[in-house]
Amino acid sequence: MARLTGGRGVDLVFDATYNEAGFVETAKTVRPGGSWVVLGVGPGKTTRLVETESPVDSILAERGAKHININILRYFSDPAILDDKGKPSSSAA
């Protein structure tokens, strides 16, 4: 990625690898001031039951990058937290 961006990194990384090694590698591609978005439970929490040490937050902090975690799993376990816009429609459109 560094070669493709002239060493600058990318503005936005969307990571859905669900793999700690993948999280670490993609976090390293974020440019200073960029954003790293992960869908799911995120680094250090690659399963709902196990937490491990993850260097991802340190990598992003060194770059002044944002860590955005979108954990949609909670909506499956507690759908009552969705507002009316997020709930599926019961009628066909």
Side-chain angles (χ1 to χ4, degrees):
M1 191 61 61
R3 186 172 46 100
L4 293 173
T5 63
R8 291 183 310 270
V10 295
D11 294 327
L12 176 67
V13 172
F14 178 79
D15 190 319
T17 61
Y18 302 101
N19 176 287
E20 186 65 31
F23 290 153
V24 170
E25 290 307 309
T26 62
K28 292 177 184 177
T29 67
V30 179
R31 72 160 176 81
S35 296
W36 186 79
V37 179
V38 64
L39 178 65
V41 292
K45 300 176 189 129
T46 51
T47 74
R48 287 185 283 161
L49 303 176
V50 177
E51 286 196 41
T52 60
E53 277 297 312
S54 176
V56 169
D57 286 330
S58 295
I59 293 167
L60 297 173
E62 289 172 3
R63 291 167 165 71
K66 294 179 191 170
H67 174 177
I68 302 165
N69 184 225
I70 303 170
N71 187 353
I72 62 171
L73 297 176
R74 66 185 176 155
Y75 298 116
F76 293 105
S77 63
D78 189 9
I81 63 175
L82 290 172
D83 63 17
D84 289 337
K85 293 178 185 174
K87 292 180 181 172
S89 174
S90 60
S91 62

